[in-house]
Amino acid sequence: MNLKELVENLGIKLLNPGVNLERDISDAYVCDLLSNVIANAPEGSIWITVQRHSNIIAVAVLKSLAGIILTQGIVPGKETLDKAIEEKIPIFSTPDNSFRIAGKIYQMLLNK
Amino acid sequence: MGMNKKKVPRLIWKFPISFRDIEKAGEVANKIKKRFQNLGMKPEIVRRVSIICFEGEMNLVLFAEKGGLIRVEVFPDRIDIFFEDEGPGIKDINLALTPGYSTAPEWAVEMGFGAGMGLYNIKKNSDFFEIFSEVDKKTMVHSRIFLTKCKDGSPRRSNLNES
């Protein structure tokens, strides 16, 4: 399953168009504590969070994450978006809360 | 042969870290990660170095009032990483090493920092770990990763701590 399928099936909105969406997603991780993500998020997973500040991009790069989904309609500021573009980290927004979007992705991963 | 040469690092990198420059926090850790990848280090080593550097960098950003320094030294058989700062120091080191204990300011906690896992994660990913601190003066954290194994193939860990 790749990011493109995720966008097509879940209606999540890509905030930095132009990034590569062909990358496969092997897993997902839900957490708002950066240390926890750094220590535990599996490489290649998509990260679901409500944190919107620019450090989330640094975390995603460090952990080679497939992308970031901001939940509850949260939209990042310019600083975060600029960094996401610079580092080529796909960043999405969804009106769903973290539980709901995680459940949907879990279901999709199960069916693959 | 004969000459007992002192081991010198193959590489030394120094990165100054600015106090409270939260926007930039994590950039040095990523820079170090990329350099280790370019050196052709094993992904497992790169992963551990990345975690150690990210947590150390965050600590310096949050607490190094007069700025901090990350020093990375690469030897043929090991990597030494030092985090040094002049700042508030640590009153109770055992407490600071306890998972979940944090003295991070409220604003940092709201941003998802200050989970109280920083020093613990550094220690957990190190083969050797030591920390020195003087209250109201300075803190020095030293993390070492061995690149070679023992003769029997087991990892060279000198602080086999709780997982």
Side-chain angles (χ1 to χ4, degrees):
Chain A
M1 182 170 88
N2 63 21
L3 290 167
K4 216 168 161 183
E5 291 171 65
L6 217 61
V7 174
E8 283 162 6
N9 287 289
L10 302 178
I12 56 176
K13 192 183 170 211
L14 179 65
L15 302 174
N16 54 341
V19 287
N20 176 19
L21 295 184
E22 301 296 327
R23 188 170 171 190
D24 274 323
I25 310 158
S26 49
D27 207 343
Y29 199 73
V30 191
C31 190
D32 300 319
L33 286 174
L34 305 193
S35 271
N36 188 302
V37 177
I38 287 288
N40 303 312
E43 212 169 278
S45 58
I46 184 135
W47 176 23
I48 299 163
T49 182
V50 294
Q51 296 293 355
R52 72 177 90 188
H53 54 82
S54 61
N55 305 92
I56 59 174
I57 307 301
V59 170
V61 172
L62 199 80
K63 294 297 286 188
S64 306
L65 301 179
I68 305 169
I69 300 178
L70 302 180
T71 58
Q72 293 179 302
I74 286 169
V75 176
K78 191 180 177 301
E79 181 99 19
T80 305
L81 269 181
D82 286 350
K83 255 189 195 169
I85 292 164
E86 186 191 327
E87 298 286 356
K88 302 184 181 71
I89 296 288
I91 185 163
F92 306 90
S93 184
T94 175
D96 279 335
N97 67 27
S98 296
F99 169 73
R100 288 184 183 277
I101 197 72
K104 288 174 186 175
I105 294 172
Y106 184 79
Q107 206 58 44
M108 283 180 76
L109 284 167
L110 272 190
N111 294 334
K112 280 292 155 183
Chain B
M1 299 285 136
M3 287 265 286
N4 196 4
K5 269 195 195 162
K6 200 183 162 196
K7 258 186 194 163
V8 289
R10 204 153 53 115
L11 289 166
I12 301 178
W13 300 323
K14 287 179 186 177
F15 304 93
I17 305 293
S18 309
F19 183 53
R20 298 281 158 96
D21 192 354
I22 206 86
E23 299 285 359
K24 286 218 177 80
E27 284 186 4
V28 167
N30 272 317
K31 205 179 274 179
I32 295 170
K33 179 194 175 187
K34 276 169 198 156
R35 289 194 186 183
F36 274 96
Q37 282 173 329
N38 291 339
L39 285 177
M41 291 277 178
K42 286 184 194 151
E44 178 57 17
I45 298 289
V46 176
R47 191 188 65 81
R48 288 166 63 195
V49 167
S50 302
I51 295 173
I52 290 166
C53 289
F54 188 88
E55 296 291 6
E57 184 179 357
M58 287 305 155
N59 282 345
L60 294 178
V61 168
L62 291 179
F63 299 109
E65 290 159 3
K66 292 173 193 161
L69 186 75
I70 302 180
R71 196 169 87 241
V72 181
E73 300 182 355
V74 184
F75 294 81
D77 66 332
R78 67 173 194 266
I79 300 160
D80 280 320
I81 307 168
F82 300 89
F83 304 98
E84 297 163 300
D85 75 281
E86 290 177 28
I90 301 171
K91 280 195 191 85
D92 186 335
I93 286 174
N94 282 331
L95 197 55
L97 282 165
T98 309
Y101 178 81
S102 173
T103 58
E106 188 69 31
W107 60 266
V109 175
E110 275 169 20
M111 289 174 79
F113 299 105
M117 296 304 288
L119 288 173
Y120 175 80
N121 278 341
I122 294 174
K123 187 176 174 187
K124 198 173 132 188
N125 283 286
S126 305
D127 290 323
F128 172 79
F129 172 89
E130 58 185 344
I131 178 166
F132 304 99
S133 188
E134 260 182 82
V135 173
D136 293 330
K137 271 200 171 155
K138 60 186 174 185
T139 300
M140 195 278 280
V141 173
H142 173 202
S143 162
R144 174 175 288 174
I145 291 176
F146 288 116
L147 300 172
T148 54
K149 290 186 170 170
C150 299
K151 276 181 185 159
D152 67 359
S154 60
R156 286 170 64 192
R157 298 202 73 166
S158 30
N159 56 334
L160 282 167
N161 43 47
E162 63 293 332
S163 67

